[in-house]
């Protein structure tokens, strides 16, 4: 089956009823969508399907054949963040990061579809996403900053100066 | 966990209503897949390994058709689209889960929703019953159209839901036990509508599917006040304990909610939708 992710077409082998989440992570090595609950209740697996936020754990592969899938890997690069990513960075809207991909994509869809969203609409758009670290305040602040165009990518770029990484634990992914 | 692999499932994706009906046949040994918001977790966790799956994505049974005050709503219509349907259906649709789930979950899946861990999860059933909606299904013996409450009490097995028809009511009322998180399932809800056959009332959360409460309707028709009529709800439903609430709590809250829904209806009567 053919699957288009972040503009690249892939031939995938997984069963037609495997979840899109499984295919993205296990077959295509795209690990920004997280397998939080795999039953629709947490939002960490959210991707964009033709621009709309969807739970990739609830989508059978066969249902998205021919659709354009976007994951965080397709949003921006480390030295060229998308406006939503830049806002999350600037507002410290991620702690452990497990929920962040889902929030970024839900926020991106909101930015593209209703940039004039009110506070209530922002909360509604994010309501299916669970964060166990931040208390949500900084996430909401970041999404609203992006909606209002109040991001300063130059400050973000500076924080992405390549650093020497020290591998402390042998075999760790650092 | 069953031993059959996901690979072994034969997937059928009909591209018309007629092909879907033919592929469904009498429904034996077949799993219907609509939005998948209930079925996919079953597949993800290996609790379900179907032999044959009929996916309705391309079957042409989605969308709302309006003719005057009549609406025909296809089984594959996403819950999100029902947010613009007549009340009390719109309010119930808006309170289903979150934006992403509502865009994927369907009307047909909601009518056929099996309780999850004993928790009922078909929040659109009560508003449809209150509206006097009729559901058209296919299966053994051909197509039939029947009131939603009859469809639900027969159990959804063996039927392919095609569409639901309803008339815009002259007024509507809705009351629910609100829960703080969008993924909290409904503990209890009551719906009322002023239809061409009088006021119809239904409740969610007092059994595995929604129930029409005739005793309340009859008391109202006999001239009882909304508060007095609402007390009759326990003649038609026997609430049970489940993971969300106790039978004790439900017995006390049901008359209150039915009373509120009737009050809501009386405030809005005459204002269509
Ligand atoms: C996080 C989360 C929160 C939720 N919150 C709510 C909520 O607040 N309220 C609520 O009511 N529900 C809720 N649900 C449950 C579910 O999303 C809805 O009931 C939904 O409408 C089911 O539709 P579906 O198309 O996704 O069903 P599917 O998963 O595709 O199917 C569900 C069942 O119906 C059968 N079926 C589907 N369509 C047909 C058809 N046309 N003919 C015959 N059989 C059919 C399937 O075989 C299956 O048994 C929630 C689910 C999740 C994951
Ligand atoms: S993993 Fe998909 S919603 Fe939790
Ligand atoms: S940052 Fe840890 S769950 Fe949200």
């Amino acid at each position: 089956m053919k699957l288009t992710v972040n503009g690249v077409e892939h031939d995938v082998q997984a069963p037609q009823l495997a979840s899109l989440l499984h295919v993205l992570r296990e077959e295509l090595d795209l690990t920004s969508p997280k397998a939080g609950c795999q039953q629709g209740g947490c939002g960490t697996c959210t991707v964009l399907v033709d621009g709309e936020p969807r739970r990739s754990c609830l989508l059978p592969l066969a249902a998205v054949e021919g659709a354009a899938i976007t994951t965080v890997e397709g949003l921006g690069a480390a030295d060229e963040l998308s406006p939503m990513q830049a806002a999350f960075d600037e507002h410290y809207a991620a702690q452990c990061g497990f929920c962040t991909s889902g929030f970024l994509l839900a926020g991106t869809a909101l930015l593209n579809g209703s940039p004039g969203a009110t506070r209530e609409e922002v909360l509604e758009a994010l309501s299916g996403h669970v964060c166990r670290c931040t208390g949500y305040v900084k996430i909401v602040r970041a999404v609203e900053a992006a909606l209002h165009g109040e991001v300063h990518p130059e400050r973000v770029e500076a924080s992405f100066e390549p650093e020497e990484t020290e591998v402390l634990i042998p075999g760790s992914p650092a | 966990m069953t031993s059959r692999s996901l690979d072994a499932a034969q997937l059928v994706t009909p591209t018309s209503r007629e092909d879907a009906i033919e592929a469904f046949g009498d429904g034996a040994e077949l799993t219907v897949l609509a939005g998948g918001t209930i079925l996919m977790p079953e597949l993800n966790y290996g609790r379900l390994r179907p032999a044959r799956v009929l996916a309705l994505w391309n079957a042409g049974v989605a969308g709302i058709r309006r003719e005057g005050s009549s609406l025909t709503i296809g089984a594959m219509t996403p819950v999100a689209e029902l947010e613009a349907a007549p009340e009390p259906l719109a309010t119930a649709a808006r309170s289903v889960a979150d934006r992403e789930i509502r865009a994927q979950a369907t009307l047909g899946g909601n009518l056929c929703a099996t309780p999850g861990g004993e928790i009922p999860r078909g929040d659109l059933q009560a508003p449809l019953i209150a509206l006097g909606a009729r559901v058209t299904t296919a299966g053994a013996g051909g197509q039939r159209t029947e009131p939603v409450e009859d469809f639900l009490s027969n159990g959804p097995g063996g039927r392919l839901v095609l569409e639901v028809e309803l008339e815009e009511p002259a007024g509507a009322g809705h009351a629910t036990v609100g829960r703080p998180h969008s993924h909290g399932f409904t503990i209890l809800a009551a719906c009322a509508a002023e239809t061409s056959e009088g006021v119809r009332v239904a409740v969610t959360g007092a059994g595995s599917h929604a129930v029409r409460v005739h005793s309340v309707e009859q008391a109202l028709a006999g001239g009882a006040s909304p508060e007095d009529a609402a007390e009759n709800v326990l003649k038609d439903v026997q609430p049970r304990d489940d993971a969300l609430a106790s039978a004790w709590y439900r017995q006390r809250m049901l008359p209150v909610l039915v009373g509120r829904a009737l009050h809501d209806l009386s405030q809005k009567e005459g204002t269509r939708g």
Side-chain angles (χ1 to χ4, degrees):
Chain A
M1 209 174 312
K2 300 237 184 291
L3 189 65
T4 305
V5 187
N6 302 328
V8 181
E9 192 178 272
H10 300 270
D11 255 316
V12 292
Q13 308 303 321
Q16 290 175 301
L17 293 173
S19 71
L20 173 62
L21 173 65
H22 176 88
V23 176
L24 291 172
R25 290 183 58 87
E26 306 298 329
E27 199 171 329
L28 302 181
D29 259 347
L30 292 169
T31 54
S32 72
K34 304 285 182 255
C37 66
Q38 300 191 67
Q39 50 185 351
C42 73
T44 63
C45 67
T46 303
V47 300
L48 301 184
V49 177
D50 294 330
E52 292 297 324
R54 289 287 184 276
R55 303 274 180 267
S56 64
C57 70
L58 295 180
L59 285 169
L61 179 57
V64 290
E65 198 177 9
I69 313 294
T70 307
T71 67
V72 168
E73 287 85 347
L75 282 188
D79 57 355
E80 206 184 337
L81 297 181
S82 75
M84 193 57 66
Q85 287 172 307
F88 269 60
D89 180 89
E90 207 174 311
H91 288 271
Y92 303 97
Q95 286 185 29
C96 80
F98 200 84
C99 69
T100 309
S101 305
F103 276 105
L104 282 172
L105 290 165
T108 299
L110 193 65
L111 179 61
N112 294 336
S114 10
T118 60
R119 166 62 61 91
E120 204 180 321
E121 287 162 347
V122 169
L123 295 183
E124 173 64 24
L126 303 180
S127 75
H129 297 255
V130 174
C131 175
R132 295 289 87 145
C133 304
T134 68
Y136 302 103
V137 172
K138 286 166 187 286
I139 294 174
V140 172
R141 222 173 262 163
V143 170
E144 287 186 336
L147 294 184
H148 302 151
E150 293 159 2
V151 272
H152 308 92
E154 65 283 3
R155 269 170 48 192
V156 174
E157 266 168 47
S159 71
F160 272 101
E161 286 295 310
E163 281 169 28
E164 278 297 308
T165 47
E166 197 183 343
V167 180
L168 298 175
I169 307 165
S172 84
Chain B
M1 172 89 83
T2 52
S3 55
R4 193 186 289 140
S5 85
L6 209 48
D7 245 336
Q10 185 204 347
L11 181 66
V12 189
T13 50
T15 51
S16 72
R17 191 177 190 272
E18 289 65 40
D19 288 353
I21 294 169
E22 194 183 318
F24 183 80
D26 64 2
E29 308 283 313
L30 188 74
T31 303
V32 177
L33 178 57
T37 59
I38 287 176
L39 282 183
M40 280 304 286
E42 300 304 307
L43 296 175
N44 290 344
Y45 284 95
R47 295 189 291 257
L48 176 70
R49 285 289 177 258
R52 244 177 110 226
V53 174
L54 177 69
L56 298 177
W57 311 313
N58 304 319
V61 290
I64 305 181
R65 224 170 45 239
R66 275 179 195 266
E67 255 170 67
S69 61
S70 306
L71 283 86
T72 306
I73 310 175
M76 284 297 285
T77 307
V79 173
E81 268 182 56
L82 301 176
E83 294 176 46
E87 292 294 356
L89 185 56
T91 297
R94 273 194 295 275
S95 55
V96 167
D98 60 65
R99 177 188 159 167
E100 290 100 339
I101 302 285
R102 288 197 294 276
Q104 189 175 336
T106 69
L107 169 70
N110 205 278
L111 273 180
C112 299
T114 45
E118 295 189 6
I119 300 166
R121 43 184 180 185
D123 285 357
L124 306 182
Q125 298 169 1
L128 288 171
I129 295 173
L131 286 164
R134 298 166 64 78
V135 56
T136 300
T137 61
Q143 287 185 38
R144 71 171 183 246
T145 300
E146 61 193 327
V148 166
E149 59 270 30
D150 293 354
F151 170 75
L152 291 173
S153 55
N154 291 334
R159 304 302 298 175
L160 175 67
V161 175
L162 296 169
E163 69 233 352
V164 165
E165 296 154 32
L166 55 91
E167 289 285 323
E168 194 138 350
H174 184 267
T176 183
V177 180
R179 308 194 70 206
H181 190 267
S182 60
H183 289 167
F185 282 90
T186 302
I187 299 174
L188 282 175
C191 294
E194 174 78 48
T195 71
S196 54
E197 46 172 297
V199 175
R200 292 175 55 106
V201 187
V203 297
T204 295
S208 57
H209 56 76
V211 186
R212 182 176 176 192
V213 284
H214 292 276
S215 306
V216 177
E217 296 174 4
Q218 281 155 10
L220 275 176
S225 71
E227 287 67 30
D228 290 344
E231 293 298 329
N232 290 287
V233 61
L234 294 172
K235 289 185 191 158
D236 287 326
V237 291
Q238 291 83 38
R240 292 180 307 214
D241 291 332
D242 69 18
L244 293 182
S246 64
W248 183 92
Y249 175 78
R250 287 193 163 100
Q251 276 156 10
R252 279 147 189 84
M253 281 307 288
L254 265 170
V256 176
L257 285 178
V258 171
R260 282 184 196 163
L262 292 174
H263 184 72
D264 191 30
L265 170 72
S266 67
Q267 303 276 297
K268 293 184 197 151
E269 239 160 337
T271 61
R272 269 190 178 277

